[in-house]
Amino acid sequence: MKSKTENIVMKNALARAQHELKLSEKRIIAIAISKINSKASKLDYKHEQSRTIKISAKEYQKIAGRKDRRNAYRDIIDISETLIKKQLTIKSNTMTGTKKTVINWVAAVEYETGRGEVEITFTDKIMPYLCAIEDRFTAYALKEAEGIKSIYTWRMLEFLTSWSTEKEGQRRISIKDYKEMMETPPSHKNADTIKRIIEPTIAELEKRGWTINYEKIKTGREITHVTFSWRKP
């Protein structure tokens, strides 16, 4: 089932989860998600065959901004095989504490040398976050991510989009929560996160037409929170 508009649609909980993906892996997953019918019933994706998505070297070449089709095919084979080991972690608050759900992205990968495409099969556990979506979802066009050079920029795009369904938005978030969602290196101090993650991602998104401002908020002498204000292109 292919999405006619090539939109990436997922529940907000998934958009804000820890994805454990490199940029190249994110591209493959994004292409696959764009082919899922987010309005379809979960029963439509009950069988493994319905969760199997074909991804061509041409599609990867386009989103990655590559010129060489042959290298793009080699890349999607190598990247798809790494996805078998990748997991995502979704956290939610409950009455008794924090609930953590760990899910594998992909159940199987299949390709035939020379065909120029790979097939990946999503796990059944991931599908409730990708289909039968009626509210609290994140949606953006696949083309919005074409040529993105940093996984942090892509994740920022998703975070800001998940926080507002309108053209404009504002959100205050603790540096601790931001670092957790972005999966920044453990060695990063709060000031490092601002200099090495926040400012470069804002710069890349602004080159793509976004307008983003941020305000640092201190608790004592330490920067502990950031307020983002943005307008989409």
Side-chain angles (χ1 to χ4, degrees):
M1 301 180 189
K2 181 175 179 178
S3 169
K4 295 180 181 180
T5 55
E6 291 191 325
N7 284 339
I8 298 171
V9 183
M10 66 185 80
K11 288 189 175 179
N12 285 344
L14 179 57
R16 300 169 190 165
Q18 294 173 300
H19 285 188
E20 199 183 289
L21 297 173
K22 296 178 181 178
L23 178 59
S24 56
E25 295 164 340
K26 179 70 174 174
R27 289 168 177 153
I28 296 289
I29 290 292
I31 294 169
I33 291 177
S34 75
K35 299 184 179 187
I36 296 292
N37 182 354
S38 63
K39 296 182 179 180
S41 164
K42 295 175 185 177
L43 292 176
D44 292 332
Y45 290 101
K46 181 179 180 181
H47 300 292
E48 185 176 292
Q49 185 177 359
S50 63
R51 302 193 306 273
T52 299
I53 309 294
K54 291 183 179 180
I55 298 168
S56 69
K58 182 178 180 181
E59 290 170 320
Y60 182 83
Q61 179 186 14
K62 183 178 180 182
I63 197 170
R66 293 286 184 85
K67 295 181 179 180
D68 191 329
R69 182 76 56 81
R70 183 175 298 177
N71 286 339
Y73 180 49
R74 179 200 62 201
D75 288 347
I76 61 174
I77 291 175
D78 294 342
I79 296 162
S80 296
E81 289 186 352
T82 68
L83 287 173
I84 292 288
K85 302 177 182 179
K86 292 303 175 85
Q87 298 176 323
L88 63 105
T89 302
I90 298 174
K91 295 182 180 180
S92 58
N93 295 322
T94 67
M95 295 293 291
T96 57
T98 301
K99 178 182 177 182
K100 181 185 289 188
T101 304
V102 180
I103 304 171
N104 282 88
W105 281 101
V106 173
V109 172
E110 186 174 317
Y111 59 88
E112 182 179 331
T113 303
R115 290 190 61 184
E117 64 182 20
V118 298
E119 292 184 349
I120 71 168
T121 302
F122 280 120
T123 61
D124 59 343
K125 293 292 185 181
I126 196 70
M127 294 313 299
Y129 297 95
L130 301 176
C131 65
I133 299 177
E134 297 180 357
D135 58 5
R136 297 182 181 179
F137 63 89
T138 299
Y140 59 96
L142 181 63
K143 65 180 181 181
E144 291 183 51
E146 287 180 9
I148 280 181
K149 298 178 181 178
S150 166
I151 185 62
Y152 296 127
T153 302
W154 199 325
R155 298 295 282 133
M156 176 74 94
L157 183 157
E158 290 183 338
F159 293 158
L160 299 185
T161 302
S162 76
W163 286 328
S164 175
T165 57
E166 307 298 329
K167 275 278 188 178
E168 300 178 352
Q170 186 177 76
R171 179 77 178 192
R172 174 174 169 167
I173 183 172
S174 72
I175 297 290
K176 179 182 177 181
D177 288 344
Y178 181 84
K179 288 166 67 176
E180 187 174 276
M181 288 191 296
M182 278 286 198
E183 300 174 80
T184 61
S187 60
H188 272 197
K189 296 180 179 179
N190 289 1
D192 292 328
T193 298
I194 291 172
K195 184 177 181 179
R196 300 182 186 182
I197 307 297
I198 292 177
E199 291 181 351
T201 57
I202 287 176
E204 186 173 1
L205 284 175
E206 287 188 330
K207 288 180 181 179
R208 305 173 74 84
W210 288 68
T211 300
I212 307 173
N213 296 303
Y214 77 96
E215 178 186 358
K216 294 177 283 189
I217 301 167
K218 291 186 176 181
T219 302
R221 295 184 178 182
E222 185 180 9
I223 301 169
T224 57
H225 294 74
V226 174
T227 297
F228 293 104
S229 301
W230 67 90
R231 180 177 177 80
K232 301 176 185 178

